[in-house]
Amino acid sequence: MTSFDDAFDALIGNEGGYSNNPKDPGGETMWGVTARVARASGYAGAMRDLPRDTAKAIAKKLYWDPLRLDELDPRVAFQIFDANYNGGHPVIWMQGAAGAKVDGLLGPATIAAVQAVEPLRFLLRWNALRLNYFTSLKTWSDFGKGWARRIANNLTKGAA
């Protein structure tokens, strides 16, 4: 992976298309974008019809750019992007996986710490934090198998 475009294509491989699972707290989604986020981003159509390009623009604006992912190794950037899109605590996990001060605030020190860690070491720490988070959720019994597969796929992508 070398860019946002590549990361988005890989992300969509994790997210898939339309979903409206009543057990999912995110509710109705298309391309992983919830109806709430789509509406807040100006999309007014049926969620089933949300264009992939609209989802991609939302992903760049809300889940890629705010975490300054263009400044990071592409393998690391994808892991963070996928988690930010999927839900969790990406800044805290960035700090934890990088051995930085964990304060939840993204700034130059966090970016520098992430950049300083060997990417595969970061990926291992990152995904350990993410799995610990997933297993703590009440919805683990409903969605845990899919989340574990997502982590396995992401580890494979990171090792490529």
Side-chain angles (χ1 to χ4, degrees), residues 72-147:
L72 304 178
D73 180 282
R75 295 166 292 178
V76 168
F78 171 73
Q79 302 290 321
I80 297 168
F81 176 54
D82 184 72
N84 197 24
Y85 203 83
N86 184 231
H89 306 284
V91 175
I92 290 170
W93 297 344
M94 287 168 77
Q95 293 166 337
K101 177 183 175 192
V102 178
D103 61 11
L105 303 173
L106 181 65
T110 297
I111 296 297
V114 173
Q115 290 170 330
V117 176
E118 193 278 317
L120 294 181
R121 181 178 300 277
F122 181 91
L123 266 66
L124 291 172
R125 292 174 180 166
W126 171 268
N127 282 296
L129 291 167
R130 196 169 177 199
L131 273 173
N132 281 332
Y133 169 75
F134 280 148
T135 60
S136 74
L137 297 175
K138 292 178 187 173
T139 51
W140 173 257
S141 60
D142 295 312
F143 300 106
K145 185 185 267 187
W147 291 332

Side-chain angles (χ1 to χ4, degrees), residues 35 38-47 49-51 54:
R39 303 291 176 242
S41 298
Y43 179 73
M47 285 305 295
D49 299 330
L50 179 74
T54 301

Side-chain angles (χ1 to χ4, degrees), residues 27-49:
E28 188 178 24
T29 66
M30 180 65 179
W31 308 116
V33 176
T34 65
R36 182 185 58 77
V37 168
R39 303 291 176 242
S41 298
Y43 179 73
M47 285 305 295
R48 277 189 191 279
D49 299 330

Side-chain angles (χ1 to χ4, degrees), residues 6-23:
D6 295 332
F8 185 78
D9 289 344
L11 173 82
I12 293 306
N14 283 341
E15 286 292 344
Y18 180 78
S19 175
N20 194 10
N21 186 329
K23 293 182 180 179

